[in-house]
Amino acid sequence: MASIWKRHPRYSILLLVILLATCFVLVPPGSYNEPSLHRMSFDGGAIEQRLATSEIFYRKALQDRQALLKRFGPTPEDVENFPDHDKPYTIWNFFPAAFNCPYEVRHLGTLADGGKWVCGLSKLEREPDCIIYSFGISGDSTFEAELLQDTNHCKIWGYDFSVTDFTDDIPNSEKWRTNFQPYGLAGKDSPGTTNSPPMFSLQSLMNLNGHDHIDLLKIDIEGWEFETLEELIKPYLSSGKPLPFAQLQLEIHVWDMPFAKFLKWWEMLEAAGLRPFWTEPNLVYVDYAKATPSLTEYSFINIRGNNVLTRPEKPRHPHGAYA
């Protein structure tokens, strides 16, 4: 069995996922043996095994979502994002970060608004061609600065039309690993070349930079994430190709969006292979605006394709170094 994993790792993980999916089809909702789930081990094993185990837990969370929807709906149109106190839930309870990052999870950047949770920074550090895109810089570059500090060769492409560059959080000695443009991220390119501000799709910027992958993608674009990600993901769902990034750090601005519309958008993310492994409400916004927690940070791993977080790990030499 071990030799099969080594010779055909991509086919092996596909087979394992198919077998797991078959089990979930055959086992009706609510019939899980909870003690068995609790005894399952996530530690150790090949990356394929860790991802497959985490997908089991995530599928259980999907069934829990349906149960919660039936309880407080019963249809998505009946669910309020932030109901009165007689209903003990918020929209975020339907979308827990139920997937496990298969590596270490670290918080980078300020502990206040602006920091992000990252999966497997040690894996990015070992990538010979580590590429990071950051949309939404504003007045805080502590996240980008710590990414540069904790890696030796990762390079960052930053975009924000509201500022002219990264902040002084990034020292001059590391500026050579950054590239900044005052562009905005959108679902489609803005027509012509004189539009202000200039807007580009993610694929257009990747083509412009000569990139075929992104190891870490940060998006904080004040509510435009819904249209942007929908336009980005559609072609990949149609073609069956994996998304071109390994993980996504995203601030979601739900504001007054109806629950049913948000659910459809979120299920599109899941269908494209994105799985949330961390979430954190933006309590700075709650305190500042005296409002409901409409802004929440999510971190996703892309479980599809051969990216830095899903590809089989290289064997270690006896002294601990990687081959």
Side-chain angles (χ1 to χ4, degrees):
M1 182 66 178
S3 60
I4 295 176
W5 280 103
K6 292 178 180 178
R7 290 198 303 269
H8 305 290
R10 299 173 71 175
Y11 294 107
S12 298
I13 187 173
L14 177 61
L15 178 60
L16 183 56
V17 170
I18 291 173
L19 290 173
L20 290 171
T22 302
C23 291
F24 281 107
V25 171
L26 295 177
V27 179
S31 61
Y32 281 95
N33 184 337
E34 295 293 343
S36 296
L37 279 177
H38 295 162
R39 287 197 298 269
M40 290 182 65
S41 173
F42 180 74
D43 298 328
I47 179 63
E48 300 92 342
Q49 295 169 310
R50 298 201 296 273
L51 289 170
T53 299
S54 197
E55 184 70 359
I56 290 176
F57 292 124
Y58 195 75
R59 295 287 175 175
K60 172 61 167 58
L62 294 182
Q63 294 194 353
D64 290 343
R65 178 194 300 165
Q66 293 304 313
L68 197 65
L69 182 59
K70 183 177 180 181
R71 177 183 176 188
F72 292 114
T75 71
E77 289 74 17
D78 297 320
V79 177
E80 301 174 65
N81 290 349
F82 303 100
D84 294 331
H85 296 299
D86 61 329
K87 296 180 180 179
Y89 73 87
T90 73
I91 183 174
W92 308 120
N93 293 113
F94 289 85
F95 308 99
F99 200 85
N100 289 300
C101 162
Y103 299 101
E104 82 283 359
V105 175
R106 288 184 53 191
H107 183 275
L108 301 180
T110 177
L111 288 176
D113 185 20
K116 310 291 178 183
W117 292 90
V118 173
C119 171
L121 186 64
S122 60
K123 286 286 291 180
L124 270 67
E125 162 61 18
R126 297 195 293 272
E127 282 295 288
D129 185 17
C130 174
I131 297 172
I132 296 167
Y133 276 40
S134 180
F135 293 94
I137 307 299
S138 189
D140 186 344
S141 297
T142 55
F143 173 69
E144 293 80 10
E146 197 161 351
L147 276 170
L148 293 170
Q149 173 186 322
D150 291 351
T151 62
N152 292 323
H153 52 271
C154 289
K155 295 181 180 179
I156 300 177
W157 279 257
Y159 299 94
D160 192 328
F161 58 78
S162 70
V163 294
T164 58
D165 203 345
F166 292 105
T167 69
D168 292 338
D169 296 313
I170 297 178
N172 290 330
S173 60
E174 298 293 349
K175 286 289 182 70
W176 68 274
R177 287 200 280 151
T178 68
N179 183 297
F180 180 90
Q181 295 291 340
Y183 302 158
L185 178 66
K188 299 178 181 178
D189 298 345
S190 56
T193 57
T194 60
N195 292 72
S196 182
M199 307 295 289
F200 293 91
S201 68
L202 180 65
Q203 191 60 59
S204 292
L205 291 172
M206 292 178 66
N207 293 340
L208 184 65
N209 298 326
H211 296 151
D212 60 3
H213 77 282
I214 298 173
D215 295 302
L216 185 152
L217 172 62
K218 186 203 91 174
I219 297 179
D220 185 354
I221 52 176
E222 306 305 319
W224 290 101
E225 63 270 9
F226 299 106
E227 174 187 332
T228 297
L229 285 173
E230 183 174 356
E231 291 296 328
L232 165 65
I233 288 174
K234 276 181 182 177
Y236 290 93
L237 285 177
S238 299
S239 66
K241 294 180 180 179
L243 294 169
F245 50 87
Q247 64 180 299
L248 170 66
Q249 279 65 39
L250 177 70
E251 183 166 52
I252 298 177
H253 308 71
V254 72
W255 285 320
D256 296 325
M257 176 179 285
F259 178 88
K261 185 176 181 180
F262 181 83
L263 174 63
K264 183 178 179 180
W265 178 82
W266 181 277
E267 289 177 339
M268 176 195 66
L269 303 186
E270 293 174 326
L274 294 178
R275 299 289 184 269
F277 66 84
W278 202 276
T279 185
E280 180 177 84
N282 187 331
L283 298 180
V284 174
Y285 169 78
V286 173
D287 182 61
Y288 178 78
K290 307 302 179 186
T292 55
S294 299
L295 278 58
T296 297
E297 300 277 0
Y298 273 93
S299 295
F300 298 83
I301 178 176
N302 176 15
I303 65 170
R304 293 187 179 168
N306 185 34
N307 64 58
V308 63
L309 297 179
T310 61
R311 74 173 63 107
E313 297 167 303
K314 293 180 180 179
R316 287 177 178 267
H317 289 305
H319 297 294
Y322 282 86

